[in-house]
Amino acid sequence: MPTAAPPRERILNAAHDLFYRDGIRATGIDRVIAESGVAKVTFYRQFPSKDDLILAFLEFRHARWMAWFVDALARHGGTPAAIAPALREWFAGHGYRGCAFINSVGELGPALPAVLEATRRHKRDMTAAVAGLMKPASGRARTARALALAIDGAIVQAQFLASPDAALEALASVTKALERPVA
């Protein structure tokens, strides 16, 4: 008989699913407690406040998403051309609801400055992963930042378009244009 995951892990998994699907503000602590199957006192031993849970959720999401992103880029060829197919995989996944970090900033913004810092770190790491796809050259960091911005745009558009195809095609065009040497 498998043992249940530790309480902290159950709480984080429940918070991850609820915060990502329904939003942070729309998800109350009592709902996270119910979904995780822990007692209220156990919850508060792990996370003294909702802010603590939000920041732990963002750390958890960051680790999970970055591991997936780096793996997906490698599976799709390990070049900048891998970005659009990797994102297509994510967009087609069950329950896609955009970037948890962009969504969190939209919900909480400056009300919880640590969310802004977690988002900055996530975007820096995403940009570094993109830069790692490129050949060493002058301007690589600038190009990686431009691609990261295009990725964020595609992520947002995929949330509200009927199909993510147009966003992915535009992103693929940007990727190709930025890979061409400047004359």
Side-chain angles (χ1 to χ4, degrees):
M1 179 168 135
T3 59
R8 183 177 180 85
E9 188 178 325
R10 292 194 335 251
I11 294 165
L12 272 174
N13 281 319
H16 175 272
D17 295 349
L18 292 167
F19 287 172
Y20 184 67
R21 184 186 66 220
D22 301 333
I24 293 171
R25 288 190 177 188
T27 302
I29 294 301
D30 289 338
R31 186 145 174 237
V32 174
I33 290 169
E35 291 286 324
S36 64
V38 301
K40 194 173 258 192
V41 70
T42 302
F43 174 87
Y44 283 108
R45 279 188 194 129
Q46 299 295 321
F47 301 99
S49 71
K50 186 173 182 181
D51 288 355
D52 293 321
L53 179 60
I54 292 166
L55 298 177
F57 152 70
L58 290 173
E59 289 299 317
F60 181 71
R61 178 68 182 195
H62 173 71
R64 247 174 98 165
W65 194 87
M66 286 303 302
W68 169 82
F69 187 57
V70 168
D71 178 66
L73 293 172
R75 280 187 285 105
H76 289 283
T79 69
I83 295 169
L87 291 180
R88 179 177 300 283
E89 218 179 87
W90 180 34
F91 297 167
H94 175 71
Y96 172 76
R97 196 176 162 285
C99 174
F101 294 87
I102 294 170
N103 295 346
S104 296
V105 168
E107 280 193 71
L108 301 170
L112 186 55
V115 168
L116 298 173
E117 186 48 43
T119 300
R120 287 183 195 109
R121 185 173 71 84
H122 176 73
K123 295 304 178 180
R124 278 192 304 267
D125 289 354
M126 182 186 79
T127 302
V130 169
L133 302 173
M134 297 178 208
K135 295 175 185 162
S138 70
R140 178 168 77 167
R142 181 176 39 85
T143 301
R145 287 190 303 273
L147 279 173
L149 182 62
I151 290 168
D152 283 342
I155 290 168
V156 171
Q157 281 203 339
Q159 282 182 271
F160 64 82
L161 294 175
S163 164
D165 291 344
L168 290 166
E169 288 169 16
L171 180 60
S173 294
V174 169
T175 302
K176 286 177 188 158
L178 289 174
E179 284 183 313
R180 278 186 233 123
V182 179

